[in-house]
Amino acid sequence: MEIGVVGKPNVGKSTFFSAATLVDVQIANYPFTTIEANVGVSYVVAEHPCKELGCVPNPQNYEYRDGLALIPIKMIDVAGLVPGAHEGKGLGNKFLDDLRMASALIHVIDASGKTDAEGQPTDYHDPVEDIEFLEKEINYWIYGILKKNWDKFAKRVKLQHLNLARAIAEQLTGIGVSEEDVLEALHKTNLSNDPTKWSDEDLYNFVSELRRINKPIIIAANKADMASDEQIKRLIEEGKKRGYIVVPTSAVAELTLRKAAKAGYIDYLPGQSDFKILKPLSPKQQKALELIKEKVLERFGSTGVQEVINKAVFELLQLIPVYPVEDENKMTDSFGNVLPHVFLMKKGSTPRDLAFKVHTDLGKTFLYAINARTHRRVGEDYELQFNDIMKIVATAR
């Protein structure tokens, strides 16, 4: 799974990426600092089952700290987007190409309104406009892919009696669109099964719905500490009207805290509302941390960076952590490791889906599963729950 960090130049996009991944990137106060996409690993954070069950895990594909599971996800920071990107303006073509396989997008905006539409400093620019412009740019990018040969494509689908959803998915396979995504968009737009009857408006409406399904967006209202309470409230309300989750964030504060923690000066975990000083600080360092505590943590409850990532994974993408084990009584694998692996599964997934995630052969030979919490046998019609612990039982091959 890959999450893209997107937005105009100069809104703190690369700072957000660096704060989330601790990857050193070029951060500067001018447009198009990022030209080549930066790729790193971030983490979605969830309470670990051991916090409830009183066990000590031996994680193999995730990290465990203070009762929390830190589950790795791939994150990509791409070149800043400006109006007209789908027509190649700015670094538009590269921007969009870098986002082809992203499962979700974190749109970083300047909540303080101090960055104009082109990414230049200004006295005031309405950040609500930025929410709308990025959505339209991505919609028109996908629209352009389909519209290019649409008439010929639509006639072929009709004459050859092709499966419309499958045919469209094949056209968009390069940007990670599945047949299931297309079917859902077709259902929601209620368009004719005959694509030759679609108007340009129909095609755009379909693409808009498909983008919401295939590349959902969450808003990181960055530089929130420089915005008024009224500005933040309006952003959240306007975002909600347009179907977006808006989270006030301070990427600079998060990056500062994470670097201080990495250097051993403070005890801090991403997403926490406070930190503990571990060793003496210089007056300058002390002042910086006091400002972060007062202007960000006490005001918003956290820097918002981890909250954005968690909401992107758990709410936008509707994923849940599930732990497969081989011994449901000891909750271990064959080597005795306690809860060694976790998989992020789509809500509504079944034990058979989990079996396929672990290994294809296990999915093919799946018989049933045992819920390690209840010790009850469940079939493939069981819907996996958040933090389920499952033993997969399969036939011998």
Side-chain angles (χ1 to χ4, degrees), residues 61-109:
N61 73 337
Y62 65 98
E63 293 184 23
Y64 175 78
R65 289 179 64 186
D66 299 337
L68 299 173
L70 281 68
I71 306 166
I73 55 171
K74 185 179 178 183
M75 186 170 280
I76 181 167
D77 165 40
V78 299
L81 188 71
V82 296
H86 70 280
E87 298 170 340
K89 292 181 181 177
L91 298 174
N93 290 332
K94 173 140 189 63
F95 167 94
L96 296 166
D97 192 58
D98 286 336
L99 285 181
R100 286 181 178 273
M101 302 311 292
S103 302
L105 306 177
I106 294 172
H107 180 192
V108 182
I109 66 173

Side-chain angles (χ1 to χ4, degrees), residues 276-300:
K276 182 180 178 182
I277 296 174
L278 299 177
K279 60 185 184 182
L281 302 169
S282 70
K284 187 177 179 181
Q285 291 170 326
Q286 183 80 35
K287 181 65 175 176
L289 291 178
E290 285 174 359
L291 282 172
I292 288 172
K293 191 169 186 175
E294 177 189 349
K295 302 291 186 183
V296 179
L297 299 182
E298 291 179 357
R299 183 180 173 194
F300 299 109

